[in-house]
Amino acid sequence: MDQSFLVMLSNLLHLHNSLDPTTSLLSDTISSTTASASASPSSATSPTSLLYSSSIAPLLFFTIASVLSYVASTRPTTSSTTTTTTTTTTTQPQPNASDYSVSAFRALTTEHIWSLEAPLRDAHWRSLYGLSYPVFTTVVDKLKPHIAVSNLSLPSDYAVAMVLSRLAHGLSAKTVAARYSLDPYLVSKITNMVTRLLATKLYPEFIKIPVGRRRLVETTQAFEELTSLPNMCGAIDTSPVKLHSLPNPNPATYRCRYGYPSVLLQVVSDHKKIFWDVCVKAPGGTDDATHFRDSLVYNRLTSGDVVWDKVMNVRGHHVRPYVVGDWCYPLLPFLLTPFSPSGMGTPAQNLFDGMLMKGRSVVVEAISLLKGRWKILQDLNVGLHHAPQTIVACCVLHNLCQIAREPEPELWKEPDESGPQPRVLDSEKSFYFFGENLRQALADDLHQKLSSR
């Protein structure tokens, strides 16, 4: 029985006794029922026996008690200490859903965080947000000034954590909204803001073409140790990023060679699987060569905007730093491709192709790491307008993880590449001629070096 009802009933008994001290609510009831039982046993169980009590007070107070019992049963259950804590609860308003979720997040992220061993702490953080606690705080510190000017009602670390959890696990806005007690529209708004900041404010700091001599020498030497080819400074590849739904405008243009709707991601990676260029500006149905020719890095390399002062002489040819790609890319002095995709070249050419593809493997692994670490790229559930910035934001976060030497997750496997060789444009004929001679010189030099060992 409700404890509050027992208290009310007790108060009624005291009130009755004070009004009519010559009778008792219980004694009247018992005496009346006893008398009825002695006079007529069959009437002992009759509820009407209460009407013949010597006082009307029992009936009155039982009626009041019944009404109060009904009222008490329809009220929400409260603690027995409600009356003692009334003053406290009135001075502290109840938190709304977002306040509760912020409190829950802070309890999760700050409780005993520094008492944990670093490996245990960081492993827990990676399972939640895709990166360790130190890298998480780095991201928050760099984005906090930009988030502050947006007048966001949520703390910066809470907003970043929410977006990272979505990127790391591929969650939809509705799922994240339910988990954090927020409106789905607010989740989408915060996701768009954080990914935009990552793709614009942090991009110049963490995605850079290696023009500095120290980094350039380190990169070319590492590639040479891997492939025995001199002055290689990067590997390029394109990967379709699957869209969760087929876009309405021109849906056929978004279907990639694997059959699903997508947008194209083009990246250039160094030997550490760190991206030094990222481009997302074409539907999934676009071929790799067209996407490359529309990219900023192509314009910068063909115009001479990127100056690499590390030049080598190989069999009378001036070899500047170059990147390598598969046969879907055009052959240029700064982008070398295999002689033959089918291995039908000379021994020197086949050897060169094998080493070139070995160097290209780093960008394939880098893309696999990217999609394995940020699972939202496996099925991109954001609007088409925000797809490029979300992809670029994940590339920035990928570089942060690689620079911090975060443990590499399970690789995301994609189908094998296939596609036709691109035709040579009129504007590229001189580049193609020079690249062809340069590639042959490197192949002959490589064959001679390895044959003499």
Side-chain angles (χ1 to χ4, degrees):
M1 183 179 293
D2 195 321
Q3 188 174 358
S4 59
F5 173 66
L6 292 176
V7 173
M8 288 189 293
L9 184 59
S10 175
N11 291 337
L12 283 172
L13 290 173
H14 287 294
L15 178 61
H16 169 264
N17 291 335
S18 63
L19 292 176
D20 188 2
T22 61
T23 60
S24 171
L25 184 63
L26 295 180
S27 63
D28 282 347
T29 303
I30 295 172
S31 60
S32 62
T33 54
T34 304
S36 300
S38 61
S40 175
S42 62
S43 64
T45 58
S46 174
T48 58
S49 61
L50 292 176
L51 296 176
Y52 300 104
S53 174
S54 61
S55 170
I56 198 172
L59 179 62
L60 174 63
F61 280 98
F62 265 114
T63 302
I64 296 174
S66 299
V67 173
L68 292 177
S69 176
Y70 173 78
V71 173
S73 64
T74 59
R75 292 175 57 190
T77 303
T78 58
S79 172
S80 60
T81 59
T82 301
T83 55
T84 61
T85 60
T86 301
T87 306
T88 305
T89 57
T90 54
T91 58
Q92 297 180 357
Q94 292 292 326
N96 57 36
S98 62
D99 290 338
Y100 175 79
S101 60
V102 171
S103 301
F105 170 75
R106 292 207 176 280
L108 172 68
T109 56
T110 60
E111 185 179 9
H112 310 307
I113 189 63
W114 292 114
S115 64
L116 294 174
E117 293 291 334
L120 183 63
R121 175 199 68 198
D122 293 339
H124 176 65
W125 225 257
R126 290 186 195 99
S127 68
L128 295 174
Y129 310 117
L131 36 72
S132 65
Y133 184 76
V135 181
F136 172 83
T137 57
T138 299
V139 176
V140 172
D141 290 343
K142 289 185 176 296
L143 294 183
K144 187 179 294 185
H146 305 292
I147 295 176
V149 300
S150 66
N151 296 321
L152 184 67
S153 58
L154 300 177
S156 298
D157 55 353
Y158 175 78
V160 172
M162 185 185 70
V163 174
L164 290 181
S165 66
R166 185 178 180 189
L167 301 180
H169 299 284
L171 304 175
S172 66
K174 289 184 179 179
T175 302
V176 174
R179 178 174 295 182
Y180 286 86
S181 302
L182 295 172
D183 185 83
Y185 171 77
L186 182 59
V187 172
S188 296
K189 181 179 178 181
I190 296 173
T191 301
N192 295 338
M193 179 189 66
V194 172
T195 54
R196 176 177 51 82
L197 292 175
L198 286 167
T200 56
K201 302 300 182 181
L202 269 60
Y203 183 99
E205 182 177 355
F206 292 101
I207 300 181
K208 299 178 181 178
I209 297 177
V211 292
R213 185 163 184 83
R214 180 178 178 180
R215 183 185 172 196
L216 190 59
V217 169
E218 177 191 354
T219 302
T220 55
Q221 286 181 349
F223 271 115
E224 187 167 2
E225 291 177 4
L226 177 66
T227 66
S228 300
L229 292 172
N231 249 9
M232 184 187 301
C233 68
I236 188 171
D237 199 16
T238 301
S239 175
V241 178
K242 182 181 179 182
L243 297 174
H244 186 68
S245 57
L246 188 65
N248 288 327
N250 302 320
T253 63
Y254 286 89
R255 289 201 177 276
C256 67
R257 54 182 172 267
Y258 306 127
Y260 52 77
S262 64
V263 292
L264 279 186
L265 164 65
Q266 174 188 283
V267 293
V268 184
S269 170
D270 69 8
H271 62 290
K272 294 180 179 178
K273 291 170 278 193
I274 296 174
F275 303 133
W276 58 253
D277 186 77
V278 175
C279 179
V280 186
K281 56 185 304 183
T286 309
D287 63 89
D288 294 355
T290 300
H291 191 202
F292 172 63
R293 287 164 175 151
D294 287 340
S295 66
L296 179 60
V297 69
Y298 173 84
N299 294 326
R300 294 189 64 184
L301 291 173
T302 55
S303 65
D305 181 43
V306 178
V307 179
W308 282 318
D309 61 356
K310 187 175 182 292
V311 182
M312 300 183 66
N313 188 290
V314 178
R315 294 177 175 258
H317 293 79
H318 294 290
V319 181
R320 293 184 178 275
Y322 57 89
V323 299
V324 295
D326 61 18
W327 46 85
C328 296
Y329 287 92
L331 175 61
L332 303 165
F334 48 82
L335 173 53
L336 300 184
T337 60
F339 285 94
S340 172
S342 57
M344 300 297 292
T346 66
Q349 291 174 347
N350 292 338
L351 178 61
F352 174 87
D353 287 354
M355 291 302 183
L356 182 144
M357 297 304 286
K358 193 174 182 180
R360 176 186 170 273
S361 65
V362 298
V363 71
V364 176
E365 289 187 15
I367 293 173
S368 298
L369 279 176
L370 172 72
K371 292 186 177 182
R373 182 174 279 132
W374 308 109
K375 293 181 175 58
I376 195 171
L377 299 183
Q378 299 173 14
D379 189 11
L380 194 57
N381 52 25
V382 300
L384 181 62
H385 180 68
H386 298 107
Q389 71 181 38
T390 305
I391 298 170
V392 175
C394 291
C395 292
V396 172
L397 293 170
H398 166 87
N399 276 10
L400 271 163
C401 292
Q402 291 301 109
I403 292 170
R405 297 183 180 180
E406 289 281 273
E408 296 183 350
E410 184 178 355
L411 299 180
W412 168 258
K413 297 296 184 181
E414 289 189 333
D416 293 334
E417 290 257 359
S418 62
Q421 289 182 282
R423 64 184 183 88
V424 180
L425 301 181
D426 291 339
S427 59
E428 294 175 348
K429 285 184 176 180
S430 61
F431 285 124
Y432 177 81
F433 177 76
F434 187 78
E436 196 174 33
N437 292 333
L438 180 63
R439 181 176 63 179
Q440 188 63 55
L442 289 171
D444 293 338
D445 184 69
L446 175 66
H447 187 260
Q448 182 181 7
K449 284 193 305 183
L450 296 184
S451 298
S452 60
R453 290 181 181 178

mmCIF file of all heavy atoms in Angstrom, residues 177-204:
data_model
loop_
_atom_site.group_PDB
_atom_site.id
_atom_site.type_symbol
_atom_site.label_atom_id
_atom_site.label_comp_id
_atom_site.label_asym_id
_atom_site.label_seq_id
_atom_site.Cartn_x
_atom_site.Cartn_y
_atom_site.Cartn_z
ATOM 1 N N ALA A 177 21.117 11.000 -33.139
ATOM 2 C CA ALA A 177 20.174 11.849 -32.407
ATOM 3 C C ALA A 177 19.531 11.084 -31.257
ATOM 4 O O ALA A 177 19.398 11.604 -30.140
ATOM 5 C CB ALA A 177 19.110 12.373 -33.364
ATOM 6 N N ALA A 178 19.142 9.835 -31.510
ATOM 7 C CA ALA A 178 18.545 9.035 -30.448
ATOM 8 C C ALA A 178 19.556 8.724 -29.354
ATOM 9 O O ALA A 178 19.223 8.724 -28.167
ATOM 10 C CB ALA A 178 17.986 7.734 -31.035
ATOM 11 N N ARG A 179 20.801 8.496 -29.739
ATOM 12 C CA ARG A 179 21.837 8.145 -28.762
ATOM 13 C C ARG A 179 22.197 9.330 -27.878
ATOM 14 O O ARG A 179 22.467 9.171 -26.695
ATOM 15 C CB ARG A 179 23.071 7.629 -29.492
ATOM 16 C CG ARG A 179 24.229 7.267 -28.614
ATOM 17 C CD ARG A 179 25.354 6.622 -29.417
ATOM 18 N NE ARG A 179 24.942 5.331 -29.981
ATOM 19 C CZ ARG A 179 25.753 4.546 -30.682
ATOM 20 N NH1 ARG A 179 26.999 4.909 -30.909
ATOM 21 N NH2 ARG A 179 25.319 3.396 -31.155
ATOM 22 N N TYR A 180 22.193 10.526 -28.437
ATOM 23 C CA TYR A 180 22.622 11.711 -27.688
ATOM 24 C C TYR A 180 21.457 12.593 -27.265
ATOM 25 O O TYR A 180 21.672 13.711 -26.807
ATOM 26 C CB TYR A 180 23.603 12.526 -28.532
ATOM 27 C CG TYR A 180 24.973 11.912 -28.636
ATOM 28 C CD1 TYR A 180 25.261 10.962 -29.609
ATOM 29 C CD2 TYR A 180 25.985 12.269 -27.756
ATOM 30 C CE1 TYR A 180 26.510 10.386 -29.704
ATOM 31 C CE2 TYR A 180 27.245 11.705 -27.842
ATOM 32 C CZ TYR A 180 27.501 10.759 -28.826
ATOM 33 O OH TYR A 180 28.739 10.189 -28.917
ATOM 34 N N SER A 181 20.222 12.119 -27.446
ATOM 35 C CA SER A 181 19.028 12.868 -27.032
ATOM 36 C C SER A 181 18.970 14.238 -27.688
ATOM 37 O O SER A 181 18.781 15.253 -27.022
ATOM 38 C CB SER A 181 18.989 13.005 -25.499
ATOM 39 O OG SER A 181 19.004 11.755 -24.884
ATOM 40 N N LEU A 182 19.174 14.258 -28.990
ATOM 41 C CA LEU A 182 19.140 15.506 -29.742
ATOM 42 C C LEU A 182 18.195 15.349 -30.927
ATOM 43 O O LEU A 182 17.773 14.246 -31.278
ATOM 44 C CB LEU A 182 20.544 15.878 -30.242
ATOM 45 C CG LEU A 182 21.588 16.198 -29.186
ATOM 46 C CD1 LEU A 182 22.954 16.355 -29.843
ATOM 47 C CD2 LEU A 182 21.237 17.470 -28.431
ATOM 48 N N ASP A 183 17.882 16.480 -31.533
ATOM 49 C CA ASP A 183 17.050 16.464 -32.723
ATOM 50 C C ASP A 183 17.903 16.062 -33.932
ATOM 51 O O ASP A 183 19.037 16.513 -34.063
ATOM 52 C CB ASP A 183 16.444 17.854 -32.950
ATOM 53 C CG ASP A 183 15.475 17.859 -34.112
ATOM 54 O OD1 ASP A 183 14.311 17.496 -33.910
ATOM 55 O OD2 ASP A 183 15.905 18.226 -35.232
ATOM 56 N N PRO A 184 17.387 15.210 -34.837
ATOM 57 C CA PRO A 184 18.183 14.809 -36.013
ATOM 58 C C PRO A 184 18.658 15.989 -36.856
ATOM 59 O O PRO A 184 19.763 15.949 -37.408
ATOM 60 C CB PRO A 184 17.213 13.917 -36.796
ATOM 61 C CG PRO A 184 16.274 13.383 -35.775
ATOM 62 C CD PRO A 184 16.108 14.476 -34.760
ATOM 63 N N TYR A 185 17.835 17.029 -36.942
ATOM 64 C CA TYR A 185 18.259 18.207 -37.707
ATOM 65 C C TYR A 185 19.488 18.839 -37.075
ATOM 66 O O TYR A 185 20.418 19.265 -37.776
ATOM 67 C CB TYR A 185 17.120 19.225 -37.773
ATOM 68 C CG TYR A 185 17.538 20.555 -38.346
ATOM 69 C CD1 TYR A 185 17.708 20.720 -39.726
ATOM 70 C CD2 TYR A 185 17.784 21.647 -37.516
ATOM 71 C CE1 TYR A 185 18.106 21.938 -40.257
ATOM 72 C CE2 TYR A 185 18.185 22.864 -38.039
ATOM 73 C CZ TYR A 185 18.337 23.009 -39.408
ATOM 74 O OH TYR A 185 18.736 24.218 -39.926
ATOM 75 N N LEU A 186 19.532 18.894 -35.739
ATOM 76 C CA LEU A 186 20.685 19.477 -35.053
ATOM 77 C C LEU A 186 21.926 18.617 -35.265
ATOM 78 O O LEU A 186 23.026 19.143 -35.449
ATOM 79 C CB LEU A 186 20.388 19.624 -33.566
ATOM 80 C CG LEU A 186 21.487 20.259 -32.701
ATOM 81 C CD1 LEU A 186 21.820 21.663 -33.194
ATOM 82 C CD2 LEU A 186 21.081 20.281 -31.235
ATOM 83 N N VAL A 187 21.758 17.298 -35.265
ATOM 84 C CA VAL A 187 22.896 16.399 -35.518
ATOM 85 C C VAL A 187 23.464 16.647 -36.907
ATOM 86 O O VAL A 187 24.679 16.736 -37.090
ATOM 87 C CB VAL A 187 22.466 14.933 -35.349
ATOM 88 C CG1 VAL A 187 23.586 13.995 -35.792
ATOM 89 C CG2 VAL A 187 22.081 14.653 -33.902
ATOM 90 N N SER A 188 22.594 16.757 -37.911
ATOM 91 C CA SER A 188 23.059 17.026 -39.275
ATOM 92 C C SER A 188 23.753 18.376 -39.358
ATOM 93 O O SER A 188 24.789 18.519 -40.021
ATOM 94 C CB SER A 188 21.880 16.983 -40.247
ATOM 95 O OG SER A 188 21.318 15.694 -40.304
ATOM 96 N N LYS A 189 23.205 19.349 -38.680
ATOM 97 C CA LYS A 189 23.787 20.699 -38.699
ATOM 98 C C LYS A 189 25.182 20.692 -38.076
ATOM 99 O O LYS A 189 26.129 21.285 -38.630
ATOM 100 C CB LYS A 189 22.876 21.666 -37.948
ATOM 101 C CG LYS A 189 23.367 23.103 -37.936
ATOM 102 C CD LYS A 189 22.399 24.009 -37.181
ATOM 103 C CE LYS A 189 22.916 25.452 -37.131
ATOM 104 N NZ LYS A 189 21.986 26.319 -36.373
ATOM 105 N N ILE A 190 25.331 20.022 -36.950
ATOM 106 C CA ILE A 190 26.631 19.964 -36.280
ATOM 107 C C ILE A 190 27.623 19.153 -37.116
ATOM 108 O O ILE A 190 28.801 19.519 -37.235
ATOM 109 C CB ILE A 190 26.482 19.371 -34.863
ATOM 110 C CG1 ILE A 190 25.627 20.299 -33.998
ATOM 111 C CG2 ILE A 190 27.838 19.160 -34.218
ATOM 112 C CD1 ILE A 190 25.280 19.723 -32.645
ATOM 113 N N THR A 191 27.161 18.048 -37.717
ATOM 114 C CA THR A 191 28.028 17.250 -38.578
ATOM 115 C C THR A 191 28.541 18.079 -39.745
ATOM 116 O O THR A 191 29.735 18.047 -40.069
ATOM 117 C CB THR A 191 27.272 16.017 -39.113
ATOM 118 O OG1 THR A 191 26.812 15.226 -38.016
ATOM 119 C CG2 THR A 191 28.181 15.168 -39.990
ATOM 120 N N ASN A 192 27.662 18.824 -40.371
ATOM 121 C CA ASN A 192 28.071 19.665 -41.502
ATOM 122 C C ASN A 192 29.068 20.729 -41.072
ATOM 123 O O ASN A 192 30.035 21.012 -41.786
ATOM 124 C CB ASN A 192 26.842 20.319 -42.130
ATOM 125 C CG ASN A 192 25.904 19.312 -42.763
ATOM 126 O OD1 ASN A 192 26.310 18.209 -43.103
ATOM 127 N ND2 ASN A 192 24.640 19.667 -42.893
ATOM 128 N N MET A 193 28.859 21.312 -39.895
ATOM 129 C CA MET A 193 29.754 22.358 -39.416
ATOM 130 C C MET A 193 31.149 21.792 -39.118
ATOM 131 O O MET A 193 32.164 22.346 -39.558
ATOM 132 C CB MET A 193 29.187 23.015 -38.162
ATOM 133 C CG MET A 193 30.088 24.097 -37.582
ATOM 134 S SD MET A 193 29.543 24.690 -35.969
ATOM 135 C CE MET A 193 29.788 23.231 -34.984
ATOM 136 N N VAL A 194 31.214 20.676 -38.391
ATOM 137 C CA VAL A 194 32.508 20.111 -37.994
ATOM 138 C C VAL A 194 33.266 19.582 -39.207
ATOM 139 O O VAL A 194 34.480 19.807 -39.344
ATOM 140 C CB VAL A 194 32.309 19.012 -36.930
ATOM 141 C CG1 VAL A 194 33.625 18.294 -36.649
ATOM 142 C CG2 VAL A 194 31.755 19.608 -35.644
ATOM 143 N N THR A 195 32.585 18.890 -40.110
ATOM 144 C CA THR A 195 33.275 18.376 -41.298
ATOM 145 C C THR A 195 33.741 19.513 -42.206
ATOM 146 O O THR A 195 34.808 19.429 -42.821
ATOM 147 C CB THR A 195 32.374 17.418 -42.087
ATOM 148 O OG1 THR A 195 31.126 18.056 -42.400
ATOM 149 C CG2 THR A 195 32.105 16.153 -41.284
ATOM 150 N N ARG A 196 32.958 20.575 -42.276
ATOM 151 C CA ARG A 196 33.382 21.737 -43.079
ATOM 152 C C ARG A 196 34.639 22.364 -42.491
ATOM 153 O O ARG A 196 35.572 22.738 -43.219
ATOM 154 C CB ARG A 196 32.256 22.766 -43.155
ATOM 155 C CG ARG A 196 32.638 24.055 -43.886
ATOM 156 C CD ARG A 196 31.457 24.992 -43.978
ATOM 157 N NE ARG A 196 30.834 25.212 -42.702
ATOM 158 C CZ ARG A 196 31.264 26.085 -41.784
ATOM 159 N NH1 ARG A 196 32.363 26.795 -42.018
ATOM 160 N NH2 ARG A 196 30.622 26.244 -40.647
ATOM 161 N N LEU A 197 34.696 22.481 -41.167
ATOM 162 C CA LEU A 197 35.882 23.048 -40.523
ATOM 163 C C LEU A 197 37.106 22.151 -40.731
ATOM 164 O O LEU A 197 38.210 22.643 -40.981
ATOM 165 C CB LEU A 197 35.616 23.244 -39.028
ATOM 166 C CG LEU A 197 34.589 24.320 -38.658
ATOM 167 C CD1 LEU A 197 34.324 24.318 -37.156
ATOM 168 C CD2 LEU A 197 35.069 25.694 -39.106
ATOM 169 N N LEU A 198 36.902 20.838 -40.635
ATOM 170 C CA LEU A 198 38.022 19.925 -40.874
ATOM 171 C C LEU A 198 38.519 20.036 -42.309
ATOM 172 O O LEU A 198 39.735 20.031 -42.563
ATOM 173 C CB LEU A 198 37.582 18.485 -40.591
ATOM 174 C CG LEU A 198 37.413 18.079 -39.128
ATOM 175 C CD1 LEU A 198 36.679 16.746 -39.030
ATOM 176 C CD2 LEU A 198 38.760 17.984 -38.426
ATOM 177 N N ALA A 199 37.575 20.153 -43.257
ATOM 178 C CA ALA A 199 37.940 20.165 -44.668
ATOM 179 C C ALA A 199 38.518 21.498 -45.131
ATOM 180 O O ALA A 199 39.170 21.544 -46.181
ATOM 181 C CB ALA A 199 36.710 19.824 -45.519
ATOM 182 N N THR A 200 38.311 22.556 -44.378
ATOM 183 C CA THR A 200 38.807 23.882 -44.791
ATOM 184 C C THR A 200 39.898 24.411 -43.866
ATOM 185 O O THR A 200 40.980 24.771 -44.321
ATOM 186 C CB THR A 200 37.641 24.888 -44.852
ATOM 187 O OG1 THR A 200 36.962 24.924 -43.574
ATOM 188 C CG2 THR A 200 36.639 24.499 -45.923
ATOM 189 N N LYS A 201 39.644 24.442 -42.582
ATOM 190 C CA LYS A 201 40.587 25.049 -41.639
ATOM 191 C C LYS A 201 41.787 24.152 -41.349
ATOM 192 O O LYS A 201 42.911 24.644 -41.183
ATOM 193 C CB LYS A 201 39.868 25.400 -40.326
ATOM 194 C CG LYS A 201 38.684 26.338 -40.480
ATOM 195 C CD LYS A 201 39.102 27.665 -41.083
ATOM 196 C CE LYS A 201 37.910 28.619 -41.190
ATOM 197 N NZ LYS A 201 38.291 29.925 -41.807
ATOM 198 N N LEU A 202 41.565 22.835 -41.282
ATOM 199 C CA LEU A 202 42.665 21.925 -40.951
ATOM 200 C C LEU A 202 43.327 21.323 -42.182
ATOM 201 O O LEU A 202 44.420 20.764 -42.081
ATOM 202 C CB LEU A 202 42.178 20.805 -40.033
ATOM 203 C CG LEU A 202 42.301 21.069 -38.517
ATOM 204 C CD1 LEU A 202 41.504 22.289 -38.109
ATOM 205 C CD2 LEU A 202 41.857 19.856 -37.718
ATOM 206 N N TYR A 203 42.686 21.409 -43.325
ATOM 207 C CA TYR A 203 43.264 20.837 -44.548
ATOM 208 C C TYR A 203 44.647 21.416 -44.862
ATOM 209 O O TYR A 203 45.591 20.655 -45.105
ATOM 210 C CB TYR A 203 42.312 21.060 -45.728
ATOM 211 C CG TYR A 203 42.776 20.435 -47.029
ATOM 212 C CD1 TYR A 203 42.270 19.215 -47.453
ATOM 213 C CD2 TYR A 203 43.713 21.067 -47.845
ATOM 214 C CE1 TYR A 203 42.694 18.638 -48.644
ATOM 215 C CE2 TYR A 203 44.146 20.498 -49.034
ATOM 216 C CZ TYR A 203 43.631 19.276 -49.429
ATOM 217 O OH TYR A 203 44.056 18.708 -50.599
ATOM 218 N N PRO A 204 44.823 22.741 -44.877
ATOM 219 C CA PRO A 204 46.153 23.271 -45.238
ATOM 220 C C PRO A 204 47.256 22.845 -44.278
ATOM 221 O O PRO A 204 48.426 22.795 -44.661
ATOM 222 C CB PRO A 204 45.944 24.792 -45.194
ATOM 223 C CG PRO A 204 44.476 25.000 -45.300
ATOM 224 C CD PRO A 204 43.860 23.823 -44.613
#
